[in-house]
Amino acid sequence: MNTPQQSPSPPDTAGITANLARIHERIAVAALAAGRRPEDITLVAVSKTKPIEAVRAALQAGQTIFGENRVQEAEEKFPLLRQEFPDLQLHLIGGLQTNKARDAVRLADVIESLDRPRLADAIAAAAEKEGRLPRLLIEVNVGNEPQKAGIPTEDADSFIADCKSRFGDKLAGLMCVPPAGEDPRPHFTWLANRAAKHNLNIVSMGMSADFETAIACGATWIRVGTAIFGGR
Ligand SMILES: *Cc1c(COP(=O)(O)O)cnc(C)c1O
């Protein structure tokens, strides 16, 4: 049969709830093993490509912080959910085009992917127009991979300093996605050290496959998608 799908299949609400509980347990174990407090680690649930019903299931299970990597998708899902769940916090974690900066500034509580001077200019201009400025993280291309988002490591110090003087306390920390297929440890450690050097409190690193390692290396925010919502 060739019947068109009217809507995606309903989310596995019980599965999402159980996955969240399991991840919180794993966070606690990893934090304690590293001599850290579990409550010092914040879970960002990455809901990209997942339907609004899946996000709602996570919200009903008590998760309030979500990450999306496309502005348009975030715009389709989150303004509605905010009316139902006023505590909801939206993080934009994907590469951001300057022409999307104004939408991003209007929509997001945190932009984790500030990675170049022209984007900083666009965010500053958008903040002036919108009368609001999200918290900002600088994304560092810790593996200096061509084609990958993030400021190159050699430019990180000066870019961090510029953003600090421009955005003040709204510049909250650093973020990275280390190269696939490599030991992430040296990259995670580099990022944590660089954040400390600049007195930045937030270190956003670690995904489904490596969040425990990231916690061991000093992550304060972890960004987990697949382990909560299933494969994409
Ligand atoms: C998709 C994504 C994640 C989550 O990845 P999972 O492997 O699904 O946990 C985290 N950070 C960024 C920047 C992403 O794009």
Side-chain angles (χ1 to χ4, degrees), residues 97-142:
Q97 293 172 282
T98 49
N99 65 7
K100 296 277 166 58
R102 189 154 178 194
D103 292 334
V105 162
R106 190 175 56 244
L107 206 60
D109 300 291
V110 180
I111 296 172
E112 296 201 20
S113 47
L114 171 54
D115 66 352
R116 58 198 190 279
R118 296 197 48 169
L119 182 57
D121 294 343
I123 287 172
E128 188 132 319
K129 291 193 187 106
E130 293 292 331
R132 84 188 290 268
L133 177 61
R135 294 167 82 196
L136 304 169
L137 302 193
I138 289 176
E139 179 174 2
V140 182
N141 184 356
V142 286

Side-chain angles (χ1 to χ4, degrees), residues 46 48 69 93 175 177 207-208 223-226 232:
V46 177
K48 65 189 184 198
N69 66 349
I93 61 174
M175 181 271 234
V177 181
M207 317 199 301
S208 293
R223 308 178 309 270
V224 178
T226 312
R232 290 181 293 270

Side-chain angles (χ1 to χ4, degrees), residues 161-181:
D162 287 349
C163 288
K164 246 189 157 172
S165 61
R166 179 173 213 170
F167 297 115
D169 287 346
K170 289 288 188 173
L171 180 69
L174 305 181
M175 181 271 234
C176 76
V177 181

